[in-house]
Amino acid sequence: MMKNIYQGLLVLTLGMVTACDSLLDIDPEFTQDAENFFNTEEDFDRAIIGVYDMMQPAYLNMWIGEIASDNAIAGGESVNDSRGLHEIENMTHGGVNQELRAVMRVNYTGIARANYIFENQDNIDFDGKALILAEAKFMRAYFYFNLVNYFGDMPLIIDRRISISEIPNAERTPKAAIYEQIESDLGEAMEVLPWTVSETGRLTRGAAMAMLGKVLLYQNKYAEAATILGDLIADNQGGYELFADYSTLFLNENRNVSEDVFTIQFSGLQGGDYGCLVCLNGNAAVGFQSIRQYDGPFYADGNSYNLPTQDLYDAFEEGDIRREATVLDLDAFIAAQPNPDEITYAIGGGAIQVFTITNTSRGLMSGVCRTMI
């Protein structure tokens, strides 16, 4: 009896090994890795969309800059919520700050993705490759522009992919040299990019000219900036013009209007989480900066980060239409509603939430981001 059991176990074990071998020993239909990518036009298309993807966290550049100024406080649930933002607000941050680390990671990831395309640009030729390279140059310039404005001298790498882990030990390049590379990338992109595109959200010549003008202004090169921006205004083959009603410019239904030289596109099809570097396709600024635990009309519920200050409100002259479109006096808005007693919100962040930014509270997770140019 025992002998029969052993024989049965042996047959079963051998059968399992044979079955496992038959499942594991499979020649895959295809594999996709760094060594066999960039062999088709589709590969290049997918790669450039991956670079565009790293423009999605543009809100990081916006809100950290505002919080560091007198325009806004960190907000959030409490002073322990996103402590890095509160450190920036109080100017107590040191060399280790999670929010600034995120800025560095996002922008160097975008640079690595752009450089990946340049590493393989000679693999194949096809119609449209020059345009993809021009888009990659623009975005690499954009990412380096963010970095140089936050950190000054930083490692400048344009000929290969770079791992975020090697940045702390890499030699820092003087910011003047980084600006030279930024200007070079934008100048070369400008010569290739078209004035208009059929796919909303793709880069244009006008976007490159506007970005270059901004880069020159940040270096106090006023005459050069005036020239390039003057050319943009005078030529204007992109058909740019001011939107008729500034108070509704930032509403979701007015995305991609003639005033937008370039807008970062978002989709509301995917939610977000905290499991990866960029975990959502929606505009995170809407959720992060909307009114905390808000239950009422028109505006969205959110986390109440980046709360505008009285100082910002007072900076607008009386009658400036931009003031009411930019800063919401929440209590006054509620008092003007037919049912004010039914509208509620929560206060957090160690400060009374009287004001909130309207051009993010009104938005949706889909739409555009007008924070770059």
Side-chain angles (χ1 to χ4, degrees):
M1 179 68 178
M2 188 63 70
K3 180 179 179 181
N4 291 338
I5 292 175
Y6 287 154
Q7 288 177 338
L9 287 174
L10 180 60
V11 171
L12 178 61
T13 303
L14 289 174
M16 290 176 62
V17 171
T18 302
C20 289
D21 285 346
S22 66
L23 290 173
L24 295 176
D25 188 16
I26 295 177
D27 185 17
E29 295 181 5
F30 63 91
T31 58
Q32 193 75 80
D33 56 35
E35 303 306 319
N36 62 15
F37 200 60
F38 292 108
N39 290 325
T40 67
E41 181 178 349
E42 181 185 7
D43 290 344
F44 279 85
D45 287 335
R46 291 167 61 190
I48 197 63
I49 294 303
V51 187
Y52 274 99
D53 184 53
M54 295 314 301
M55 301 183 85
Q56 298 261 307
Y59 69 91
L60 288 173
N61 305 311
M62 177 185 70
W63 74 349
I64 292 177
E66 291 296 296
I67 290 168
S69 73
D70 295 328
N71 292 342
I73 63 172
E77 182 179 10
S78 70
V79 294
N80 294 316
D81 185 18
S82 297
R83 180 178 293 274
L85 290 176
H86 290 275
E87 291 174 351
I88 292 170
E89 175 194 341
N90 297 317
M91 291 296 163
T92 59
H93 58 286
V96 179
N97 181 281
Q98 291 299 315
E99 306 303 323
L100 295 177
R101 182 173 182 267
V103 171
M104 186 183 71
R105 290 182 66 204
V106 164
N107 286 286
Y108 268 117
T109 299
I111 291 166
R113 292 185 182 185
N115 285 351
Y116 190 24
I117 294 175
F118 293 118
E119 279 185 61
N120 296 275
Q121 61 181 312
D122 296 327
N123 285 18
I124 61 170
D125 287 316
F126 57 90
D127 292 339
K129 187 174 79 169
L131 178 58
I132 287 177
L133 296 178
E135 290 175 303
K137 287 179 180 178
F138 179 106
M139 287 185 278
R140 182 171 65 183
Y142 166 77
F143 296 129
Y144 269 122
F145 180 67
N146 291 333
L147 288 170
V148 77
N149 280 294
Y150 266 91
F151 305 109
D153 300 348
M154 289 294 283
L156 175 64
I157 298 172
I158 60 173
D159 58 350
R160 62 179 177 84
R161 282 162 288 168
I162 183 171
S163 168
I164 195 66
S165 62
E166 66 178 289
I167 295 298
N169 299 316
E171 183 178 354
R172 300 177 73 171
T173 302
K175 66 178 184 179
I178 299 177
Y179 269 122
E180 287 180 10
Q181 182 62 48
I182 292 171
E183 290 182 35
S184 175
D185 276 347
L186 289 173
E188 292 177 16
M190 196 169 62
E191 296 302 316
V192 177
L193 292 172
W195 277 104
T196 59
V197 292
S198 58
E199 184 178 359
T200 301
R202 300 301 285 253
L203 290 161
T204 63
R205 179 181 174 86
M209 295 176 73
M211 188 70 198
L212 179 56
K214 183 174 182 178
V215 167
L216 293 169
L217 284 173
Y218 270 60
Q219 300 174 82
N220 299 326
K221 297 181 178 180
Y222 301 123
E224 294 178 55
T227 297
I228 189 68
L229 295 175
D231 289 345
L232 172 61
I233 294 170
D235 200 345
N236 195 19
Q237 293 186 42
Y240 309 117
E241 61 181 354
L242 293 178
F243 190 65
D245 182 8
Y246 186 87
S247 66
T248 63
L249 173 61
F250 293 97
L251 294 180
N252 191 58
E253 57 263 31
N254 291 329
R255 59 189 182 273
N256 299 313
V257 294
S258 58
E259 186 167 320
D260 295 330
V261 179
F262 174 70
T263 53
I264 299 170
Q265 304 298 306
F266 296 90
S267 167
L269 297 178
Q270 176 190 358
D273 58 59
Y274 296 97
C276 63
L277 184 60
V278 182
C279 297
L280 73 168
N281 292 320
N283 187 350
V286 176
F288 281 135
Q289 299 176 102
S290 294
I291 306 165
R292 176 168 291 276
Q293 296 179 24
Y294 178 72
D295 185 8
F298 197 63
Y299 295 104
D301 169 60
N303 296 328
S304 70
Y305 288 112
N306 191 28
L307 297 176
T309 61
Q310 185 72 48
D311 184 77
L312 173 62
Y313 186 83
D314 293 341
F316 291 96
E317 294 182 1
E318 193 68 33
D320 190 330
I321 61 173
R322 297 172 300 173
R323 185 176 68 179
E324 304 306 320
T326 302
V327 182
L328 169 69
D329 185 334
L330 183 55
D331 287 341
F333 170 79
I334 292 175
Q337 302 307 305
N339 58 335
D341 294 338
E342 300 175 14
I343 301 172
T344 59
Y345 66 92
I347 296 174
I352 297 176
Q353 181 174 323
V354 176
F355 298 120
T356 188
I357 297 289
T358 62
N359 59 22
T360 56
S361 297
R362 290 177 179 176
L364 300 176
M365 289 299 286
S366 60
V368 299
C369 179
R370 297 181 174 98
T371 60
M372 192 191 70
I373 295 174

